[in-house]
Amino acid sequence: MLAFILRRLAQSVIVMLVVALIAFMVFRYVGDPIASMVGVDTRLEDQEIMRDRLGLNDPFYVQFGRFIGNAVRGEFGISYRLQQPVSQLILERLPATIELAFASALIALVFGVGLGVFTALKRGSWLSGFIMSASLVGVSLPTFLIGIGLIYIFAVELQWLPSFGRGQTVDLGFWRTGLLTESGLRSLILPAITLSLFQLTLIMRLVRAEMLEVMRTEYIRFARARGLSQRAIHFGHALKNTLVPVITITGLQLGSVIAFAIVTETVFQWPGVGSLFINSVQVVDVPVMAAYLMFIALVFVVINLLVDILYYVVDPRLRVDAAGGAK
Amino acid sequence: MAEPVLSVKNLTVQFPTRRGVLTAVDDISFDIMAGEVLGVVGESGAGKSMTGAAVIGLIEPPGRISGGEIRLKGERIDNIAPDAMRAIRGRRIGMIFQDPLTSLNPLYRISQQIIETIRTHLHVGEAEARKRAIKLLDDVGIPDAARRIDDYPHQFSGGMRQRVVIALALCAEPDLVIADEPTTALDVSVQAQIIDVMKELCRERNAAIMLVTHDMGVIAETADRVAVMYAGRLAEIGPVRDVIKNAFHPYTQGLMGSIPSLTTDLDRLLQIPGSMPRLSAIPKGCPFNPRCPKVFDRCRIERPDADPVAPDRRVACWLYPEVTPA
C-alpha cells in the first residue's frame, strides 16, 4: 500500500513538472513579458536593463528552474491587470469556487446515486422512464443555457432566488465563506444546481447501468436465496459493487467541476477562480493564466491520487499483493 | 406415511415472450422426504434448474409459476407474499449455486456474509453468530476456520469457496437444500469431497436435498431417488438403483446407455440421436417421440403423464400401462 502510494506520488510529480513546463512556456513565450509591463515610451536600454534584472536573458533551464522554485513556494509573480501577487488573488477567490464545486458535487452525488439506484430497481415504472428521458436534457443542454434558464425562472419570473453574486460572506480569517449567511446560501442554490446537472445525469446513468449489471450476478441471486432483506441486497451487496467505476467518474468529474466552473461562474457573476481566469484571458494577464493552469493540474492530480487510494479501500481484491501473500 | 418435506404438484412455469408463451416446466409432480436426496437429472434446458428456482421462489421475471402448487411441510409456498417467501429462503430452504467463484460477494469478508445471513434468520447477537459461523466453516472442512473466517472470497480456492457456499446455505439449518449443479464448476478431484461434505451435513441436520445435475455419476453415488426431466416434463422418477439398473423410459435408457463403462468394450460411445427440442417447438404428444427408438402412433398424438407403473416408480411413456396402487 505504502509502496503504491509512493509510486503514484512520483508519477504525480512528473505530471506536475510537465504541466509546469507548459505553464512556464505560456508565461515566458506568449507575448513579451517586458512589453506587457512597461509603457510604450520606455527606452529600449531601460527595457534591456529590466530584462536583465528579471533574469529573462538567462538560459532556458535556469529560468524554468526558477519558475519551479517559485511555484513550489506558491509564487507566480504579479498580476499585470490587478498589480497584486497572483497567489494572493487565487487564494482570495478559491473559497468561492471550492464551496460552489463541493455543493454541486454533493448534489450530483446524492441525487445521481439515488436516482440511479431508483431507475435501476424500478426499471419498468413510468417514473423511471420519465427520469431517464429528463436526464437526456441534463446531458445534452449546455451549462450556460441551463444557468440562464434557471435565472429566468427562479430569479426573474418567480423572484425566489438571487440571480448573481455570492451574497453576504463571513470572513473566518483564512476562508471567506458564504455558507453561514442566509443570502449566501440562497445565492449558492442556482449556480450549484447548474454546475451539478451534467455530473448528476452522468452519475445517475452510470450507477443505473452498473446496478443493472450487478443485479444479474450470481452473488445477488445467492444473496436472495439466503433470504436477505431487499435493503441489504440493494444497498449493501449491489450498490457497493457499483462503487469502483462510480468513484472513478465522480472523482474525475469533481476535478472538471472545479476546472469548468468557469462558465457557471461567468453566468452567475460568481467571484471565484473561474471568473478570475476569464477576466485574465481577456486582458492577457499571463501570470494569472499560468498559475491557474498549475492550480487545476494540481487539483486533478490530487483527486486522481485519492481515487486510486479509494479503490484500495473499496475492493479487497486490489489489496492482493499487499496482504494475500502473508495469509 | 410421513409428510414429505417438499411436495410439488402439477408445477408449471411459463415465460411469456414476444413469440408466444414458452413452458419451461410443464406439469411436474414429486415429493421429497426428510433426509432424502432426490436427484434431478436432464440435459441443459430440460427445466431442472427452473424447477429448483420455482421451489425457492427465485424465477426471474417475466417467468412465473402459472399452475400447480408447492408445499413445504404441508404449507403452500408458491402463492405467498414476497416477504413471507423471503423469510423461508435461507431459513427453511437453502440453496447452493453452480459456480462458487461468482456466488460470493467479492467485496465482503466471509465472516460478514455468514454472520449477516445467520442474523437475518436467527435471533442471535453478533458474537454468537460469529461463533456459529466458525463452527460451520469448521464443519464444512475449512482448515483453521477461526483465522480464515475474516478472509475475502478471492483468498480461497474454488473447492474451498464451494464449502463456504454450503456453510452459507446451511447456516440457518433449513429443512431442504436445493443444490443446483453444485460440483459442475469444480475440478473432478474436488467434486467428490464437496458432495460428501454436503451430504454428511444434511444427514446430521436431517435436511432433504434436491440435487440438480446433469451428471449421472453424481446422482448414482449420492441420490436416494432420481427424477429424469426432458423438455420441461418429468420422464421418469424412482429409486436411483432401480432406475439405473432397469430404466423404463426410452429416454432414460438412452441416458444410461450413453454412460461409458469399463466392463463393456465399445468402439463408439452410444448416444441418443437428435437433440432436445427447443421450448418453442415441443412436438405434439410425447416430447421425446421424434428421437424415440420405440415410438408408435399413440406417442405422436397423445401426451403421456408420469403415472405409477410399479411400486414407487412413475414413468411418462405409453409403453407401460398405468398401475393403480392397491
Side-chain angles (χ1 to χ4, degrees), chain B residues 162-295:
Chain B
Q162 196 63 315
R163 288 170 194 262
V164 173
V165 170
I166 291 172
L168 275 161
L170 290 176
C171 68
E173 312 227 327
D175 303 321
L176 170 71
V177 171
I178 300 171
D180 189 352
E181 308 262 8
T183 57
T184 308
L186 299 174
D187 282 349
V188 179
S189 53
V190 186
Q191 288 183 356
Q193 298 172 10
I194 294 296
I195 291 285
D196 283 349
V197 164
M198 185 178 77
K199 212 178 157 182
E200 179 62 34
L201 291 182
C202 287
R203 189 162 53 223
E204 281 169 15
R205 291 161 172 76
N206 202 30
I209 301 178
M210 178 176 164
L211 176 62
V212 174
T213 179
H214 62 257
D215 187 341
M216 221 34 227
V218 170
I219 298 266
E221 283 166 29
T222 316
D224 302 309
R225 286 191 306 139
V226 57
V228 180
M229 288 187 70
Y230 184 80
R233 301 176 196 185
L234 201 58
E236 177 162 10
I237 183 168
V240 76
R241 185 168 292 273
D242 299 355
V243 172
I244 287 175
K245 283 214 173 118
N246 180 22
F248 285 160
H249 198 288
Y251 175 63
T252 321
Q253 291 168 358
L255 212 56
M256 298 302 156
S258 63
I259 300 171
S261 156
L262 289 176
T263 50
T264 48
D265 202 12
L266 292 173
D267 288 338
R268 284 177 65 93
L269 292 176
L270 291 175
Q271 58 174 17
I272 309 173
S275 60
M276 201 172 68
R278 277 176 294 129
L279 290 180
S280 54
I282 294 178
K284 199 168 159 328
C286 172
F288 189 57
N289 84 63
R291 301 170 74 187
C292 184
K294 298 172 185 165
V295 62

